[in-house]
Amino acid sequence: MSPSREGPEAAAVPGTGRIPCDLVIRNASSLCLVPPGKQAAAGVPDLGVISRGALAARRGQVVWAGPDSEASAVLVPEAGCESIDASGCTVTPGLIDAHAHLPFHGSRAGEFSLRLKGVSYLEILKAGGGIMSTVRATSQASDEVLLEGGLSTLDRMLRSGVTTVETKSGYGLSADGELRLLRLMRKMGEVSPVETVSTFLGAHAVPPEYKGKPELYVEVVLEEMLPAVKQLGLAEFCDIFCEPGVFDIDQSRQVLMRAKELGLAAKIHADEMSWSGGAELAAEVGAVSADHLLFASERGLRAMGEAGTTAVLLPVTVLSLLGDAVDVRHCRDQARLVRQAGVKVAVGTDYNPGTAPSSSVQLAMSLACRIFGLSVEEALAAATHGAACALGRGDRLGSLLPGYQADAAGFEATGYEDIPYRLDGVQVRFVVKRGKVVFRSR
């Protein structure tokens, strides 16, 4: 395949027409390039699959992809070039988790038991549990414990094919607590080979001391937290839990507009438990993504499509919310509305100790097919280039076309269909990040 985003790194050796490389992946049973493209209202996305494919990178960027039979004639391996035999593997862009809450401490298994008995998520939150339970446990844990737990999670994700993760704060709910978590997130990104994208979520819940007075806590977010986050350069995005009983639409608008004034891009937890106008607000403020969207309106989704806001589906969380108002039919209807609105789709884990205690993007892909009715092609695109778009990185991550960052995963499967098919996950043979091998199983 000829480079479609050819740049200096893909330049051919003068007089030869051959392309130098410092990493080459050969003999892949299937190579999925996942070309960028607008989410289709109907039909199967083109994953750009090459049977028995090969991929080459140089200085961290993809420089060539095509049939393995052409690789020797096209490529010029440089001294020290690393070669990977991907026989029996499906190679895809590195998986991307577009929504994860990390780091945190503590378990909420007791709340799981309560929900099974019919107690709602918002009822638990109002009683001082839920997010507040994790806030208390996290505040009592040392930096070392939180960092170790976060790095352990990133390592687990890496071994399952993940190369980029959005990490959200939100378990501090005070200026000091939120800044502490954001600093730990930055440290995690410095230590782990997994690329981390930091999101400030100080408006995750209303702390007990502001019970009944959320507007006063919003003032703290606006006047203390956001300026400090910006000054210290600790986050790229600002998110808020826009939901009746948490933060209303006006409060959410205030926070997101202030964040944008300070140079942070907007994200939003929107329409998760009920309609709140979150999708409409996401479009209004030009949010990069709106997440959950279980009760988003057609009008809001159409506005998101026009604004270029990505929809992040979180099917692991849906398992905790299934009941009278949320069932598989409802979720599939919502996914259909998203498609019809022409909205780009991403998938994330929503990894958190309450409603989504799973860090497996592979599981999220699998459940996206089973719950939201995504095709296997849609699920893979949503966990790669769609997720990259949800992080504002669709121009450099989530695809293996020439010019994109060389992030790739080799799955022990001869076809990409196996990845969302297997509920227990597909074994990963190798992971490449920025053109370097960062994990091998053998």
Side-chain angles (χ1 to χ4, degrees), residues 4-151:
S4 61
R5 300 181 72 233
E6 192 169 1
E9 306 304 340
V13 176
T16 69
R18 301 176 71 192
I19 299 172
C21 59
D22 54 26
L23 172 81
V24 62
I25 299 173
R26 301 288 305 269
N27 304 314
S29 294
S30 295
L31 173 63
C32 299
L33 303 182
V34 192
K38 189 174 182 180
Q39 185 76 19
V44 177
D46 178 10
L47 296 180
V49 179
I50 301 173
S51 296
R52 195 165 176 79
L55 183 80
R58 184 170 185 255
R59 298 179 185 174
Q61 281 191 325
V62 176
V63 293
W64 182 85
D68 189 79
S69 59
E70 299 177 9
S72 296
V74 172
L75 302 174
V76 180
E78 296 179 326
C81 177
E82 185 156 21
S83 181
I84 299 174
D85 181 4
S87 299
C89 282
T90 290
V91 177
T92 75
L95 301 182
I96 298 172
D97 191 344
H99 185 129
H101 297 261
L102 193 70
F104 61 80
H105 190 64
S107 168
R108 280 155 54 187
E111 294 177 11
F112 172 63
S113 179
L114 288 176
R115 288 199 305 274
L116 291 177
K117 296 174 182 177
V119 183
S120 75
Y121 176 86
L122 290 178
E123 287 172 333
I124 292 172
L125 181 61
K126 289 178 181 178
I131 292 168
M132 294 312 307
S133 173
T134 303
V135 170
R136 290 190 293 271
T138 300
S139 68
Q140 294 166 8
S142 67
D143 287 0
E144 291 75 18
V145 166
L146 291 174
L147 183 61
E148 180 182 0
L151 289 173

Side-chain angles (χ1 to χ4, degrees), residues 6 48 80 295 309 374:
E6 192 169 1
F295 294 93
T309 300
L374 269 60

Side-chain angles (χ1 to χ4, degrees), residues 305-441:
E306 293 170 359
T309 300
T310 298
V312 182
L313 303 182
L314 301 166
V316 180
T317 309
V318 172
L319 290 179
S320 297
L321 301 176
L322 288 175
D324 293 336
V326 179
D327 57 21
V328 171
R329 176 176 292 181
H330 174 85
C331 292
R332 294 191 174 198
D333 286 344
Q334 283 297 106
R336 176 179 52 80
L337 293 177
V338 170
R339 290 188 188 93
Q340 290 176 345
V343 180
K344 188 81 172 182
V345 175
V347 167
T349 62
D350 195 14
Y351 179 54
N352 71 78
T355 57
S358 170
S359 61
S360 173
V361 174
Q362 289 193 44
L363 177 62
M365 293 167 64
S366 183
L367 293 178
C369 295
R370 290 167 166 86
I371 293 175
F372 286 103
L374 269 60
S375 68
V376 292
E377 292 83 5
E378 287 175 313
L380 181 56
T384 51
H385 191 258
C389 291
L391 302 183
R393 286 160 166 74
D395 61 339
R396 70 175 182 87
L397 296 182
S399 174
L400 292 177
L401 288 181
Y404 275 77
Q405 187 166 296
D407 293 0
F411 295 89
E412 298 271 11
T414 56
Y416 62 83
E417 298 90 347
D418 275 326
I419 302 171
Y421 161 67
R422 290 292 300 268
L423 284 168
D424 57 352
V426 175
Q427 177 70 36
V428 171
R429 186 183 299 178
F430 62 86
V431 178
V432 172
K433 182 66 182 179
R434 297 187 180 91
K436 303 294 183 183
V437 178
V438 292
F439 170 71
R440 286 183 189 265
S441 64

Side-chain angles (χ1 to χ4, degrees), residues 192-403:
S192 173
V194 176
E195 183 175 346
T196 58
V197 179
S198 295
T199 295
F200 166 65
L201 182 56
H204 195 192
V206 180
E209 59 268 32
Y210 294 95
K211 187 174 182 179
K213 300 177 181 179
E215 68 281 356
L216 296 182
Y217 180 64
V218 167
E219 286 299 315
V220 174
V221 174
L222 295 173
E223 302 302 328
E224 294 184 37
M225 296 187 191
L226 276 169
V229 170
K230 174 60 179 179
Q231 181 180 6
L232 297 171
L234 291 175
E236 180 177 343
F237 295 98
C238 175
D239 197 348
I240 187 166
F241 191 1
C242 179
E243 189 74 35
V246 191
F247 298 100
D248 66 27
I249 200 75
D250 291 331
Q251 293 160 350
S252 298
R253 181 181 291 107
Q254 288 181 62
V255 170
L256 296 181
M257 291 303 294
R258 177 61 175 150
K260 290 193 70 175
E261 290 171 3
L262 291 170
L264 276 67
K267 286 177 164 287
I268 183 170
H269 283 55
D271 306 313
E272 179 182 3
M273 313 288 182
S274 60
W275 178 81
S276 65
E280 289 87 343
L281 179 60
E284 176 188 331
V285 302
V288 175
S289 78
D291 303 21
H292 292 292
L293 299 169
L294 291 177
F295 294 93
S297 69
E298 291 186 54
R299 183 182 69 177
L301 292 172
R302 285 196 301 269
M304 282 176 53
E306 293 170 359
T309 300
T310 298
V312 182
L313 303 182
L314 301 166
V316 180
T317 309
V318 172
L319 290 179
S320 297
L321 301 176
L322 288 175
D324 293 336
V326 179
D327 57 21
V328 171
R329 176 176 292 181
H330 174 85
C331 292
R332 294 191 174 198
D333 286 344
Q334 283 297 106
R336 176 179 52 80
L337 293 177
V338 170
R339 290 188 188 93
Q340 290 176 345
V343 180
K344 188 81 172 182
V345 175
V347 167
T349 62
D350 195 14
Y351 179 54
N352 71 78
T355 57
S358 170
S359 61
S360 173
V361 174
Q362 289 193 44
L363 177 62
M365 293 167 64
S366 183
L367 293 178
C369 295
R370 290 167 166 86
I371 293 175
F372 286 103
L374 269 60
S375 68
V376 292
E377 292 83 5
E378 287 175 313
L380 181 56
T384 51
H385 191 258
C389 291
L391 302 183
R393 286 160 166 74
D395 61 339
R396 70 175 182 87
L397 296 182
S399 174
L400 292 177
L401 288 181

